């Protein structure tokens, strides 16, 4: 039994998926700048445990189609892709794991279609309540300044142009290997990619060959598809008005590294541990903080993350 690949038609696009195993479906949703390959450690573990692990390249990434225009990357498009994928797999419900942007997508899948989700594991990122008074980019500029990376990513073409000054593998290393615990921000005379350090050596959890797999895919596709998830944040906010105050109504677990820059950003620990996360995810059953873990936790601490996912999902498996 090994990982196999195929293309499915869903929601008007062709989506590449990697899969292994049989049994209840576990949908693994990656973030930026990643691929199905980010779940290469979890897929065989889940399959061995009796699950059908399915990891797509998300819309705009890898071997999945990338429609032109950021307006084609709203949560409604992305969740629509996943509903179509579940239909193509012939399943009514799935276990769902999301990381980074994939975690935000997974949360909205649960908001829109809780009937299709058995249980949710969020890695690194959690759903935050919608502020009905302020657009996300306006709030971020006020709190973090215009040099904040999510603000910088808004301008079409700017990040792509700056990334292109580096080898693709170097860009991937700057993101995937970061150990920063502060927010990504740049002064007016610098670009985000320039202020991200390049680690002199690879950590033990990733090889040069694995970096090259990511790099070759992004060399083919570029980064625009992934950056469109950032560029549609305000449009998402406009469209999500009806879900103001809505909560996640499926059993939920949250896993984060103690040195993840999301977890260490101002106010996040209080949000997670002070009862605020429980309000928006009332069926939150467990919060796990992994020691010496950074942002790309499912790769860096793959065994621990796989064990935590399995231990949670087994509670709901017959």
């Amino acid at each position: 039994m090994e990982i196999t690949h195929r293309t499915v038609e869903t929601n008007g696009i062709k989506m590449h998926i990697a899969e292994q195993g049989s049994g209840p479906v576990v949908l693994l949703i990656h973030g930026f700048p990643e691929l199905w390959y980010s779940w290469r450690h979890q897929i065989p573990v889940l399959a061995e445990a009796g699950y059908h692990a399915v990891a797509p390249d998300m819309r705009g990434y890898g071997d999945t189609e990338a429609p032109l225009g950021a307006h084609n990357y709203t949560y409604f498009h992305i969740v629509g892709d996943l509903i179509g994928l579940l239909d193509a797999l012939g399943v009514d419900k799935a276990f769902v794991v999301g990381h980074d942007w994939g975690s935000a997508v997974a949360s909205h899948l649960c908001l829109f279609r809780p009937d299709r989700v058995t249980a949710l594991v969020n890695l690194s990122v959690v759903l935050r309540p919608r502020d009905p008074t302020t657009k996300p980019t306006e709030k971020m500029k006020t709190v973090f300044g215009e040099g904040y990376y999510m603000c910088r990513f808004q301008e079409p073409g700017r990040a792509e142009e700056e990334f292109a000054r580096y080898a693709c593998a170097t860009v991937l290393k700057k993101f995937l290997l970061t150990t920063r615990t502060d927010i990504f921000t740049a002064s007016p005379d610098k670009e985000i990619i320039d202020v991200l350090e390049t680690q002199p050596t690879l950590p033990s959890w990733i090889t040069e060959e694995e970096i090259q797999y990511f790099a070759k895919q992004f060399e083919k596709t570029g980064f625009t598809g992934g950056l469109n998830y950032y560029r549609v944040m305000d449009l998402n906010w406009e469209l999500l008005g009806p879900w103001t105050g809505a909560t996640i109504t499926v059993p939920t677990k949250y896993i984060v590294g103690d040195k993840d820059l999301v977890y260490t950003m101002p106010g996040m620990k209080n949000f997670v541990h002070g009862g605020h996360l429980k309000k928006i995810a009332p069926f939150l059953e467990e919060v796990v903080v992994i020691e010496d873990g950074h942002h790309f936790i499912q790769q860096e601490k793959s065994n621990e993350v796989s064990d935590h996912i399995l231990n949670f999902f087994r509670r709901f498996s017959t």
Side-chain angles (χ1 to χ4, degrees):
M1 186 169 61
E2 58 185 33
I3 297 174
T4 59
H5 300 263
R6 62 181 165 124
T7 299
V8 299
E9 301 260 356
T10 172
N11 198 27
I13 66 169
K14 292 181 173 67
M15 173 176 268
H16 163 251
I17 64 170
E19 59 188 331
Q20 186 176 350
S22 60
V25 168
V26 179
L27 191 57
L28 301 160
I29 310 173
H30 71 77
F32 178 87
E34 299 183 87
L35 302 162
W36 77 267
Y37 193 63
S38 302
W39 304 105
R40 63 195 176 280
H41 302 297
Q42 283 72 42
I43 293 171
V45 173
L46 289 163
E48 182 68 27
Y51 294 91
H52 179 186
V54 180
D57 281 337
M58 299 298 288
R59 174 182 289 236
Y61 287 92
D63 292 319
T64 291
E65 287 189 324
L68 296 177
H71 63 281
N72 287 310
Y73 290 79
T74 70
Y75 284 129
F76 295 95
H77 293 89
I78 308 299
V79 171
D81 296 345
L82 298 177
I83 293 296
L85 172 56
L86 294 181
D87 291 345
L89 294 169
V91 296
D92 293 328
K93 285 190 148 189
F95 294 98
V96 178
V97 186
H99 171 256
D100 186 77
W101 267 111
S103 184
V105 168
S107 293
H108 284 85
L109 171 59
C110 294
L111 276 185
F112 299 160
R113 295 299 302 273
D115 58 307
R116 305 300 297 269
V117 180
T118 303
L120 167 69
V121 173
N122 280 331
L123 304 181
S124 178
V125 172
V126 291
L127 185 67
R128 302 297 290 262
R130 178 182 182 273
D131 180 349
T133 65
T134 311
K135 291 183 177 182
T137 59
E138 292 173 1
K139 180 174 281 190
M140 288 186 296
K141 286 176 184 176
T142 299
V143 176
F144 301 121
E146 295 194 3
Y148 184 52
Y149 79 103
M150 289 194 187
C151 299
R152 288 288 188 90
F153 284 176
Q154 297 302 309
E155 184 182 332
R158 178 174 180 172
E160 293 93 327
E161 184 178 324
E162 299 307 324
F163 289 8
R165 291 193 283 102
Y166 294 88
C168 200
T170 301
V171 175
L172 271 300
K173 287 176 182 178
K174 281 173 172 277
F175 281 102
L176 296 177
L177 309 183
T178 186
T179 57
R180 289 178 61 158
T181 56
D182 60 330
I183 59 172
F184 291 170
T185 187
S187 57
D189 60 328
K190 292 195 180 290
E191 298 297 332
I192 292 295
I193 197 67
D194 298 324
V195 301
L196 292 179
E197 301 86 359
T198 304
Q199 300 298 329
T201 58
L202 291 181
S204 61
W205 55 268
I206 198 165
T207 66
E208 188 63 42
E209 290 73 23
E210 289 170 324
I211 292 284
Q212 288 301 323
Y213 183 91
F214 284 103
K216 285 174 182 172
Q217 290 294 89
F218 281 100
E219 283 167 4
K220 287 193 303 182
T221 64
F223 291 91
T224 300
L227 289 164
N228 280 338
Y229 287 64
Y230 295 92
R231 292 169 182 160
V232 79
M233 292 171 71
D234 284 349
L235 178 56
N236 272 328
W237 178 86
E238 292 174 14
L239 296 171
L240 285 166
W243 283 268
T244 302
T247 60
I248 294 174
T249 57
V250 305
T252 303
K253 181 172 183 172
Y254 176 53
I255 304 170
V256 68
D258 65 342
K259 296 177 181 174
D260 186 329
L261 76 169
V262 175
Y263 185 62
T264 58
M265 70 189 301
M268 185 63 176
K269 291 179 184 178
N270 180 57
F271 182 82
V272 171
H273 303 290
H276 305 285
L277 177 56
K278 185 75 171 175
K279 287 180 182 175
I280 202 165
F283 296 92
L284 178 71
E285 297 197 8
E286 195 174 355
V287 172
V288 175
V289 181
I290 294 179
E291 188 174 344
D292 202 31
H294 299 86
H295 184 63
F296 295 93
I297 192 78
Q298 81 272 42
Q299 299 180 68
E300 181 187 30
K301 301 287 185 178
S302 59
N303 291 338
E304 285 181 69
V305 169
S306 297
D307 286 346
H308 282 302
I309 292 169
L310 274 176
N311 290 339
F312 186 55
F313 287 164
R314 280 180 177 139
R315 300 182 198 174
F316 310 97
S317 303
T318 55

